[in-house]
Amino acid sequence: MTSESRQPPARRGAVRSEAARQAILQATAEQFATRGYEHMSIEGIASAAGVGKQTIYRWWPTKGALVTECLLEGRLLPDQLTLPDTGDVRADLRTWIDRILTLLDDPTGQGLWTSLIAAASDNVEIGRKLHDSLGVASSVTQRLAAGVEAGQLAAGTPLTETSEALIGAVIVRALGRIPARPGDADRLLAVVLGPEQSAG
Amino acid sequence: MTSESRQPPARRGAVRSEAARQAILQATAEQFATRGYEHMSIEGIASAAGVGKQTIYRWWPTKGALVTECLLEGRLLPDQLTLPDTGDVRADLRTWIDRILTLLDDPTGQGLWTSLIAAASDNVEIGRKLHDSLGVASSVTQRLAAGVEAGQLAAGTPLTETSEALIGAVIVRALGRIPARPGDADRLLAVVLGPEQSAG
Amino acid sequence: MTSESRQPPARRGAVRSEAARQAILQATAEQFATRGYEHMSIEGIASAAGVGKQTIYRWWPTKGALVTECLLEGRLLPDQLTLPDTGDVRADLRTWIDRILTLLDDPTGQGLWTSLIAAASDNVEIGRKLHDSLGVASSVTQRLAAGVEAGQLAAGTPLTETSEALIGAVIVRALGRIPARPGDADRLLAVVLGPEQSAG
Amino acid sequence: MTSESRQPPARRGAVRSEAARQAILQATAEQFATRGYEHMSIEGIASAAGVGKQTIYRWWPTKGALVTECLLEGRLLPDQLTLPDTGDVRADLRTWIDRILTLLDDPTGQGLWTSLIAAASDNVEIGRKLHDSLGVASSVTQRLAAGVEAGQLAAGTPLTETSEALIGAVIVRALGRIPARPGDADRLLAVVLGPEQSAG
DNA sequence: ATATAAGCGAGACGGTACGTCTTGTCTTGTC
DNA sequence: GACAAGACAAGACGTACCGTCTCGCTTATAT
């Protein structure tokens, strides 16, 4: 007996329109970047997407859910924000943090971050997502674990706390709209991972 | 002839009402705690303060400015959030972080933090204030400097980055609504200040 | 194939709510009578009608338009203000003018008239309507024409000017809040239609 | 003993500023002509007159009172609106009505009249003034009386009603924004004063 | 084939809040 | 004590969105 054999009565009626879904997510990402999480409107998204409001409300309960889905689909954050992997954990983290801090100097990038943070504070789901996936759980923590294993980082380093401190520092700077200065990434890594072991 | 002798034409008209100002800030702080930054309304504040809307708009251009002033007057954050000072920097920081993390377990405290973060992302001023005064510039950094001087912390510790990492970690946890677990503060301090020098 | 077969694209979306329209006109008429044209508020009407303000603004551009529609639907003026028709033009006009002048002694009736006049001076549409339909074009002028034809009035009487003089006299008295005295209607008719042809 | 000898307790303090009074009345007349009775604001008058609002409220209870005083001082109506006096009552009235009807073709003149009417319907005082002084009591009625005495008008003409009908007809046309046509004044006079006695 | 049902675009609805404007009163300091 | 300036509580203005609810159409099974 396969799992497909006992099917539900197979609902009638039109099926969800993928075109509408795409248009909505697209418009959401644009409004998010343009107006920011707080100041974007469902009505604006609907109209920009050429879609009835109800089509949004049918599938997403809140603005937060809409943004979450955009976030999960990678429509909100530029590709350059993924942690690179060259084998050298410390160098990769430095590159990554540098990119983020540089992004913060540009008003658009700044708006993106602050909007993301606003979304996270308004919406538990997004907050959780940010904590879990933007770095803490996945990429960053994994690379840290790999770094410990490879002997590049001190054994016994508390991974979660290290990730939190790194991401957190970046967020604090985003909120403060602090412009990047040379060496920022280095200093931050020195604080969080300990001073660099140079030559012996 | 003193510099006071040449006074400006001495403006006429009624002077700003301190009573109204107090009532407004009071009501703002309450609404901030109750409904959160995003969902509090100027109209609600005016009505709660027994004040005309115009009296608010006359003195504060935006909701953000209103909240900033509350923040500066210490109406938003409970007293227990000031960094204690027993002489032992590390112990003081542990106590302080513990208190914050504990506060985050309570929905009210959580709302307070997330609202503050939302305010900071919406409003440059608040963001800067948060970065400068909630800890980075003043109390935390000063204590860190004192700690370095007293030999309790490693010489050459980058103070700003250390503060940012500490506060940032807390903010990340606030956004993720992560419940506090025993030892959190210790682990965080181990990461940021380096492992504790026990016995010898 | 008739000309109706090629219809316009048949607009979609919910249709205008007749219930809301009725409630709004009803509330408007009440506020008009109670508070007068100048001192009635859209907000008050909306709230009395149990309707969102936008529903009013969606369909009527101004307070004046709202009142005009009430006027056209006969919601503003009591029924007794229609010109009676017994066959004797002069007697009918006397009855009619008497009724109006009497109405003006009562504060409510006075407010009704002055409000109507205020509305007419504020709003071209209403002014035109008042001139055309309250009497000049329709009932009064028609009865005058009939009177001329029946030989009850002098041939060559300028109908428009006669109507205007009659209505105008009433309006002037309304504006002056002049109390009615016996014989007023008679004297006015004597002036405008000429002295009554008694006996012969 | 002169009438000045028994003075009241002789109030102290500054005396009413005639300059302020003039500036206020001037500004009122301008706003009345420009924006109309309903849409002019005390605040606007105060600011245009370079005067504190309180100075207005100190001396006039309402907007209506302010306008009344302007009316009485002849600041609202142009000079050409005084009834001429050549000895021939009928000709004088024709000239006068012609002027008024012509004035109504110009938007400014129209606004003036409709504003005046609006003021009269809002404000009993103004209404009475309009009824009494714009024509009924003073100039028009007096000339009519003179005309009767001189045998130019039929004896027994009810003066008040005749005035009311004349002024009223003009007001009705103002409210209807009816453009003037040649012969209007003649026809109106024919209706109200009876047909012209030509050659007979 | 034909009912039946869901999705869709459009958009009206009852509301809440916005930020502005005006009202009439009160207060301050000058003349 | 009148005045210019201007703050104040109150509240209406007209606009923008909210989230819900009809409409009339277009798909898709299910009979």
Side-chain angles (χ1 to χ4, degrees):
Chain A
M1 196 208 253
T2 67
S3 62
E4 290 86 13
S5 63
R6 211 72 182 89
Q7 286 181 8
R11 40 164 251 93
R12 278 183 295 186
V15 87
R16 177 170 187 182
S17 153
E18 182 60 20
R21 182 172 168 276
Q22 290 299 330
I24 290 166
L25 292 176
Q26 180 65 25
T28 301
E30 273 156 22
Q31 296 258 316
F32 186 89
T34 312
R35 321 232 274 133
Y37 178 75
E38 287 201 58
H39 302 107
M40 75 202 222
S41 76
I42 299 279
E43 219 146 63
I45 293 171
S47 132
V51 136
K53 276 203 288 178
Q54 195 60 246
T55 303
I56 297 182
Y57 284 111
R58 188 163 16 241
W59 303 110
W60 294 276
T62 61
K63 189 165 71 167
L66 203 41
V67 170
T68 307
E69 193 154 333
C70 279
L71 184 61
L72 290 181
E73 297 216 345
R75 301 180 105 108
L76 297 188
L77 295 174
D79 287 344
Q80 64 202 98
L81 287 190
T82 42
L83 181 57
D85 188 350
T86 64
D88 182 345
V89 177
R90 192 165 196 127
D92 288 348
L93 286 171
R94 177 167 42 236
T95 309
W96 183 63
I97 290 173
D98 245 348
R99 278 195 199 138
I100 298 181
L101 293 182
T102 306
L103 196 68
L104 288 177
D105 282 345
D106 161 49
T108 307
Q110 202 171 88
L112 217 111
W113 267 94
T114 52
S115 262
L116 196 55
I117 298 167
S121 36
D122 184 47
N123 188 275
V124 187
E125 201 77 11
I126 300 181
R128 215 91 67 191
K129 239 77 199 180
L130 194 67
H131 186 266
D132 288 4
S133 78
L134 179 64
V136 175
S138 61
S139 31
V140 180
T141 315
Q142 277 164 26
R143 291 306 307 286
L144 289 173
V148 168
E149 207 147 318
Q152 294 177 11
L153 301 178
T157 308
L159 303 182
T160 307
E161 281 76 12
T162 306
S163 293
E164 285 172 355
L166 281 175
I167 307 286
V170 170
I171 287 182
V172 163
R173 295 182 68 110
L175 290 179
R177 278 78 164 176
I178 308 298
R181 276 170 317 155
D184 273 342
D186 272 328
R187 277 189 296 278
L188 180 55
L189 286 174
V191 164
V192 175
L193 299 183
E196 196 157 1
Q197 314 293 352
S198 61
Chain B
M1 193 202 254
T2 69
S3 61
E4 287 87 12
S5 62
R6 210 70 183 92
Q7 285 180 9
R11 41 159 256 98
R12 281 185 294 186
V15 90
R16 178 170 186 182
S17 154
E18 183 60 21
R21 183 173 166 276
Q22 291 298 331
I24 289 166
L25 292 176
Q26 180 66 24
T28 300
E30 274 157 21
Q31 297 256 318
F32 185 88
T34 312
R35 324 230 278 131
Y37 178 75
E38 286 201 58
H39 304 106
M40 75 201 226
S41 77
I42 300 279
E43 216 144 69
I45 293 170
S47 133
V51 135
K53 276 202 288 178
Q54 198 56 49
T55 302
I56 298 183
Y57 284 112
R58 188 165 14 245
W59 301 110
W60 294 275
T62 60
K63 192 166 69 168
L66 202 41
V67 170
T68 307
E69 193 154 332
C70 279
L71 183 61
L72 289 181
E73 299 217 342
R75 303 180 103 109
L76 297 189
L77 295 175
D79 287 344
Q80 66 202 95
L81 287 190
T82 41
L83 182 55
D85 187 352
T86 64
D88 181 348
V89 178
R90 191 168 198 123
D92 288 348
L93 286 171
R94 177 167 39 238
T95 309
W96 182 61
I97 291 173
D98 245 348
R99 276 194 199 140
I100 298 181
L101 293 181
T102 306
L103 196 68
L104 287 176
D105 282 344
D106 161 48
T108 305
Q110 202 171 88
L112 215 112
W113 268 93
T114 52
S115 261
L116 196 55
I117 297 167
S121 39
D122 184 46
N123 189 274
V124 187
E125 201 77 11
I126 301 181
R128 245 179 295 257
K129 242 75 197 179
L130 193 67
H131 185 267
D132 287 3
S133 78
L134 178 65
V136 174
S138 60
S139 32
V140 179
T141 314
Q142 278 164 24
R143 292 303 309 284
L144 289 174
V148 169
E149 208 147 316
Q152 295 177 11
L153 300 178
T157 308
L159 301 181
T160 309
E161 282 76 12
T162 306
S163 293
E164 284 172 356
L166 281 175
I167 307 285
V170 169
I171 286 182
V172 163
R173 295 183 66 111
L175 290 179
R177 278 78 165 176
I178 309 298
R181 276 170 319 155
D184 274 341
D186 271 329
R187 273 187 299 277
L188 180 55
L189 285 173
V191 164
V192 175
L193 299 183
E196 195 156 2
Q197 316 293 354
S198 60
Chain C
M1 195 200 252
T2 69
S3 61
E4 288 85 13
S5 62
R6 212 71 184 91
Q7 287 179 8
R11 41 159 257 100
R12 283 182 294 182
V15 90
R16 178 172 184 181
S17 155
E18 183 59 22
R21 184 174 165 275
Q22 291 299 330
I24 290 166
L25 292 176
Q26 180 64 27
T28 301
E30 274 157 20
Q31 297 257 318
F32 185 89
T34 312
R35 324 230 276 132
Y37 178 76
E38 287 201 58
H39 304 106
M40 75 201 223
S41 77
I42 300 278
E43 216 146 68
I45 293 169
S47 131
V51 134
K53 274 202 288 179
Q54 199 55 50
T55 302
I56 297 183
Y57 285 111
R58 185 158 25 237
W59 302 109
W60 294 275
T62 60
K63 191 166 71 167
L66 203 41
V67 170
T68 307
E69 193 154 333
C70 279
L71 183 60
L72 290 181
E73 298 216 343
R75 302 181 104 108
L76 297 188
L77 296 173
D79 287 343
Q80 64 203 100
L81 285 190
T82 43
L83 182 56
D85 187 351
T86 65
D88 182 345
V89 178
R90 192 168 196 124
D92 287 349
L93 285 171
R94 177 167 40 236
T95 309
W96 183 62
I97 291 173
D98 245 349
R99 279 195 198 138
I100 298 180
L101 293 181
T102 307
L103 196 69
L104 288 177
D105 283 345
D106 161 49
T108 306
Q110 201 171 89
L112 216 111
W113 268 94
T114 52
S115 261
L116 195 56
I117 296 167
S121 35
D122 182 48
N123 189 274
V124 186
E125 201 77 10
I126 301 181
R128 213 92 69 192
K129 241 76 199 179
L130 193 68
H131 185 267
D132 287 4
S133 78
L134 179 65
V136 174
S138 59
S139 30
V140 180
T141 313
Q142 277 165 26
R143 291 303 310 282
L144 289 173
V148 169
E149 207 149 318
Q152 295 177 12
L153 301 177
T157 308
L159 303 181
T160 308
E161 282 75 11
T162 307
S163 293
E164 286 171 356
L166 282 175
I167 307 287
V170 170
I171 286 181
V172 164
R173 297 183 65 112
L175 291 179
R177 278 77 165 177
I178 309 298
R181 276 168 318 153
D184 274 341
D186 271 328
R187 274 188 298 276
L188 180 55
L189 285 173
V191 164
V192 175
L193 299 183
E196 197 156 3
Q197 316 291 353
S198 61
Chain D
M1 192 205 256
T2 69
S3 62
E4 288 87 11
S5 62
R6 211 70 183 92
Q7 288 181 4
R11 36 167 241 95
R12 278 180 297 182
V15 89
R16 177 171 187 181
S17 154
E18 183 59 20
R21 183 173 166 276
Q22 290 298 331
I24 289 166
L25 292 176
Q26 180 65 24
T28 301
E30 273 157 21
Q31 297 257 317
F32 185 88
T34 312
R35 324 230 279 133
Y37 178 76
E38 287 201 58
H39 304 107
M40 75 202 223
S41 74
I42 301 279
E43 217 145 66
I45 293 170
S47 134
V51 136
K53 276 202 290 177
Q54 197 55 46
T55 303
I56 298 183
Y57 284 111
R58 185 159 24 238
W59 302 109
W60 295 275
T62 61
K63 189 166 71 169
L66 202 42
V67 170
T68 307
E69 192 154 333
C70 279
L71 184 60
L72 290 181
E73 298 216 342
R75 305 180 103 108
L76 298 188
L77 295 174
D79 287 344
Q80 64 202 96
L81 286 190
T82 42
L83 183 55
D85 187 351
T86 64
D88 181 346
V89 178
R90 192 168 197 125
D92 288 349
L93 286 171
R94 179 168 38 236
T95 309
W96 183 63
I97 291 173
D98 245 349
R99 277 194 200 140
I100 298 181
L101 292 182
T102 306
L103 197 68
L104 287 178
D105 282 344
D106 160 49
T108 307
Q110 202 172 87
L112 216 110
W113 268 94
T114 52
S115 262
L116 195 55
I117 298 168
S121 37
D122 183 47
N123 190 273
V124 187
E125 201 77 11
I126 301 181
R128 255 196 268 271
K129 240 75 197 178
L130 192 68
H131 186 266
D132 287 5
S133 79
L134 178 66
V136 175
S138 60
S139 32
V140 180
T141 314
Q142 277 164 27
R143 294 301 310 281
L144 290 173
V148 168
E149 209 148 315
Q152 294 176 12
L153 301 177
T157 307
L159 302 181
T160 308
E161 282 76 12
T162 305
S163 293
E164 285 172 355
L166 281 175
I167 308 287
V170 169
I171 287 182
V172 163
R173 296 183 65 111
L175 291 179
R177 278 80 166 175
I178 308 296
R181 275 170 319 154
D184 273 341
D186 272 328
R187 275 188 296 278
L188 180 55
L189 286 174
V191 164
V192 176
L193 299 183
E196 196 156 1
Q197 315 294 352
S198 61

